[in-house]
């Protein structure tokens, strides 16, 4: 089930009822219902989630060396997500009968990275929690963040899970408003854009106007899709009195690609910074070392997103531009609006590498876009451009604290009917369900 579905609404109401009537079994209820939540897509992966909980807890309990615990933790991820890609790339045909070719287990990348962060932080004494199997499992499978993040650290969640869940008036208002903002982004905006532009990415490159619209609208689709999910994750958790870290902070208003990666998928960026980039030496030592670290880390981040060469290329290009910014970024001092324009130009071109996994189609797509750029002044293309600009500008108001302050000033009896109308309308439009989130594939 996904947050923008009728099944989740029913699930959440049942969960809240169980917590209310069985207060002394809160931890057990969170664990039990989170496993049900995860298993809803494919019950067989209940056992995968259980294995990840048991194995990673044992690594922590018995203080297994990091080189062994991390390597073993990565085995399920590499088998399910990367085995077919690697064996095909390396032409190891004799192993093809052993690769996994079915649907990817949901959230395996997110769960694996959360577990690895916990193993490393515990080993290096970066938190003061006494981990046992119950609280570790509760932390790892907590359903609001289970499927697509944010990627958590122990100190961000376990201290809060010790407290009893209390649904007070403030949390109810803020949680409902934030969840509804995410629901609107996903159902009314991202899904509508996807329905319109997906055929242009999957068909022949023979529709220049379709290509222009796809190029302009995909940045909005992926932002509304992913940030919408995170808003719903944070909102549902806030309803329970538990705060999760923000994952977005006006990314398309960033003034550089470096700034963008501080504001987009923040918990993933910080994971790669803390557990790969800094251990490699970060920006210390020589420029050659900086170049190597940025290229390696961003290529790995690209590979994290998917088992395809286009994701590795996307990460590599991000690393190359990040390195260039560090070398020449201080030389130029443009006005802020020009910095935002140049940054969006770079990001939106990179999104095409991210979106299109066939290299020949990617080259044709980009070629057709730029050779037909004069058609952007046609009315419908110009209107699409204005929609993009409005979407970028709207991030000025897509602010966690502004939404919180807004909800605090509105009575609950006003918020409730508004939320119900929005959600019932959205569920009606999508027949009680919605498209899978883009990041579910990662």
């Amino acid at each position: 089930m996904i947050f923008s579905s009728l099944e989740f609404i029913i699930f959440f109401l049942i969960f809240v009822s169980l917590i209310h009537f069985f207060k002394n079994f809160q931890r057990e209820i969170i664990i039990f219902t989170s496993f049900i939540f995860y298993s809803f897509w494919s019950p067989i992966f209940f056992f995968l989630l259980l294995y990840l909980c048991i194995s990673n807890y044992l690594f922590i309990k018995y203080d297994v060396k990091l080189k062994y615990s991390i390597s073993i933790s990565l085995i399920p991820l590499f088998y399910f997500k990367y085995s077919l890609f690697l064996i095909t790339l390396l032409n190891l045909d004799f192993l093809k009968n052993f690769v996994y070719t079915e649907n990817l287990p949901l959230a395996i990348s997110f769960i694996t990275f959360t577990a690895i962060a916990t193993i490393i932080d515990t080993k290096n004494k970066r938190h003061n929690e006494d981990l046992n199997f119950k609280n570790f499992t509760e932390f790892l499978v907590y359903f609001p963040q289970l499927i697509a993040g944010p990627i958590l650290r122990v100190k961000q969640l376990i201290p809060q899970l010790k407290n009893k869940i209390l649904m007070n008036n403030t949390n109810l208002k803020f949680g409902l408003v934030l969840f509804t903002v995410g629901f609107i982004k996903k159902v009314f905006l991202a899904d509508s854009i996807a329905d319109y532009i997906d055929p242009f990415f999957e068909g022949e490159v023979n529709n220049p106007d379709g290509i222009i619209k796809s190029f302009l609208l995909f940045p909005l689709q992926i932002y509304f899709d992913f940030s919408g999910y995170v808003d719903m994750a944070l909102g549902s958790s806030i309803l329970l009195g538990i705060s999760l870290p923000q994952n977005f902070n006006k990314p398309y208003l960033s003034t550089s690609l470096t700034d963008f990666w501080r504001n987009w998928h923040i918990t993933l960026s910080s994971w790669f910074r803390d557990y790969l980039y800094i251990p490699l030496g970060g920006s210390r030592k020589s420029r050659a070392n900086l170049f190597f670290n940025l290229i390696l880390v961003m290529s790995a981040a690209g590979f994290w997103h998917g088992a395809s060469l286009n994701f590795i290329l996307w990460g590599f290009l991000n690393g190359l531009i990040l390195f260039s910014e560090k070398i020449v970024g201080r030389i130029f001092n443009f006005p802020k609006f020009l910095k935002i324009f140049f940054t969006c130009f770079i990001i939106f071109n990179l999104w095409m590498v991210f979106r299109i996994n066939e290299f020949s189609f990617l080259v044709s797509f980009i070629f057709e876009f730029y050779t037909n750029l004069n058609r952007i002044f046609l009315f419908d293309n110009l209107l699409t451009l204005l929609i993009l600009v409005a979407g970028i500008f709207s991030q000025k108001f897509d602010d966690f604290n502004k939404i919180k302050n807004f909800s605090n000033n509105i009575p609950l009896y006003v918020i409730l009917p508004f939320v119900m109308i929005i959600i019932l309308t959205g569920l009606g439009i999508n027949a009680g369900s919605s498209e899978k989130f883009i990041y579910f594939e990662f």
Side-chain angles (χ1 to χ4, degrees):
M1 71 189 78
I2 61 175
F3 290 153
S4 53
S5 68
L6 181 60
E7 290 89 349
F8 176 75
I9 304 298
I10 296 170
F11 165 86
F12 191 80
L13 292 174
I14 293 172
F15 171 79
V16 170
S17 300
L18 289 171
I19 291 292
H20 177 75
F21 289 110
F22 303 99
K23 292 182 176 68
N24 294 330
F25 299 94
Q26 176 175 302
R27 177 168 292 160
E28 290 78 7
I29 291 169
I30 289 175
I31 293 172
F32 175 71
T33 53
S34 295
F35 269 91
I36 292 175
F37 177 79
Y38 186 81
S39 304
F40 186 83
W41 285 276
S42 182
I44 191 65
F45 289 129
F46 168 92
F47 298 102
L48 172 63
L49 186 59
L50 183 62
Y51 164 78
L52 291 170
C53 292
I54 294 172
S55 60
N56 285 287
Y57 170 68
L58 292 176
F59 296 147
I60 293 169
K61 180 179 180 180
Y62 293 105
D63 197 23
V64 177
K65 289 184 178 180
L66 289 179
K67 62 181 179 181
Y68 298 125
S69 59
I70 293 174
S71 298
I72 297 171
S73 293
L74 288 170
I75 288 173
L77 175 63
F78 271 83
Y79 174 70
F80 286 108
K81 189 169 183 177
Y82 301 112
S83 59
L84 178 61
F85 169 75
L86 292 173
I87 286 171
T88 303
L89 185 68
L90 299 173
N91 291 317
L92 302 175
D93 292 341
F94 65 96
L95 292 175
K96 280 196 173 179
N97 291 332
F98 301 98
V99 302
Y100 181 78
T101 58
E102 304 299 323
N103 290 329
L104 185 69
L106 288 173
I108 190 167
S109 299
F110 287 93
I111 297 168
T112 301
F113 271 33
T114 300
I116 288 174
T118 306
I119 291 169
I120 295 172
D121 288 352
T122 304
K123 188 82 168 179
N124 295 329
K125 296 180 171 52
R126 292 176 183 164
H127 66 80
N128 300 316
E129 299 300 327
D130 182 19
L131 295 179
N132 55 55
F133 182 65
K134 271 191 177 180
N135 67 6
F136 172 74
T137 301
E138 181 186 27
F139 160 74
L140 195 62
V141 304
Y142 178 60
F143 71 86
Q145 59 81 39
L146 178 59
I147 302 302
I151 299 171
L152 298 176
R153 316 288 175 92
V154 166
K155 60 186 178 182
Q156 293 174 318
L157 182 58
I158 286 186
Q160 297 186 80
L161 290 172
K162 293 177 182 177
N163 302 322
K164 290 295 182 183
I165 288 175
L166 294 174
M167 300 181 70
N168 60 42
N169 189 64
T170 301
N171 290 337
L172 276 173
K173 292 194 297 180
F174 183 31
L176 285 171
V177 171
L178 188 59
F179 184 93
T180 305
V181 168
F183 187 89
I184 291 170
K185 286 181 183 178
K186 170 58 181 167
V187 174
F188 292 96
L189 298 175
D191 285 357
S192 299
I193 294 171
D195 288 340
Y196 183 69
I197 68 174
D198 279 354
F200 299 122
F201 284 115
E202 295 162 5
E204 298 292 327
V205 187
N206 57 8
N207 187 337
D209 292 328
I211 287 172
I212 289 171
K213 292 181 178 69
S214 302
F215 183 97
L216 296 175
L217 291 176
F218 180 74
L220 295 183
Q221 182 203 350
I222 193 170
Y223 173 74
F224 289 137
D225 190 276
F226 191 21
S227 72
Y229 173 88
V230 172
D231 286 344
M232 285 188 273
L234 269 61
S236 59
S237 190
I238 288 167
L239 286 169
L240 306 175
I242 296 172
S243 298
L244 300 178
Q246 293 175 246
N247 227 9
F248 293 90
N249 183 23
K250 310 179 187 68
Y252 291 157
L253 295 179
S254 301
T255 54
S256 66
L257 193 63
T258 303
D259 192 31
F260 172 78
W261 279 109
R262 294 189 185 113
N263 298 316
W264 175 276
H265 205 341
I266 297 168
T267 57
L268 179 68
S269 300
S270 63
W271 194 99
F272 275 104
R273 179 197 65 206
D274 295 343
Y275 301 110
L276 191 56
Y277 180 67
I278 291 176
L280 285 170
S283 57
R284 302 188 300 272
K285 301 179 182 177
S286 65
R287 284 187 176 182
N289 187 254
L290 171 63
F291 177 80
F292 174 80
N293 291 343
L294 283 172
I295 294 297
L296 177 63
V297 170
M298 293 309 298
S299 297
F303 197 41
W304 177 90
H305 282 82
S308 177
L309 290 174
N310 69 297
F311 289 116
I312 299 174
L313 176 61
W314 173 74
F316 174 85
L317 292 172
N318 270 279
L320 198 61
I321 297 168
L322 288 170
F323 176 76
S324 301
E325 285 186 350
K326 289 187 179 295
I327 300 303
V328 302
R330 295 185 179 88
I331 297 175
F332 304 102
N333 188 22
F334 296 110
K336 184 177 180 180
F337 79 93
L338 278 180
K339 290 181 180 178
I340 293 172
F341 173 81
F342 290 138
T343 302
C344 283
F345 175 78
I346 291 169
I347 293 166
F348 297 170
N349 277 275
L350 288 173
W351 278 142
M352 296 304 101
V353 182
F354 180 96
R355 177 62 178 83
I356 302 170
N357 57 22
E358 186 179 320
F359 186 73
S360 59
F361 185 84
L362 171 64
V363 172
S364 299
F365 188 98
I366 296 295
F367 178 80
E368 288 295 321
F369 175 77
Y370 282 105
T371 55
N372 290 283
L373 198 56
N374 61 304
R375 297 180 66 85
I376 204 168
F377 296 104
L378 297 177
F379 177 77
D380 53 343
N381 293 334
L382 195 58
L383 182 61
T384 305
L385 177 62
L386 292 174
I387 291 171
L388 173 62
V389 172
I392 295 170
F393 181 74
S394 71
Q395 292 192 356
K396 199 173 181 65
F397 307 98
D398 189 6
D399 184 286
F400 187 84
N401 291 320
K402 286 181 180 177
I403 295 171
K404 184 176 184 178
N405 292 334
F406 171 81
S407 67
N408 286 337
N409 293 322
I410 306 295
L412 184 60
Y413 65 81
V414 174
I415 290 175
L416 271 175
F418 173 78
V419 168
M420 290 177 64
I421 290 169
I422 293 293
I423 290 178
L424 289 174
T425 302
L427 293 177
I429 290 171
N430 289 282
S433 65
S434 180
E435 295 296 317
K436 281 179 67 175
F437 290 86
I438 293 172
Y439 266 69
F440 276 16
E441 299 299 324
F442 310 141

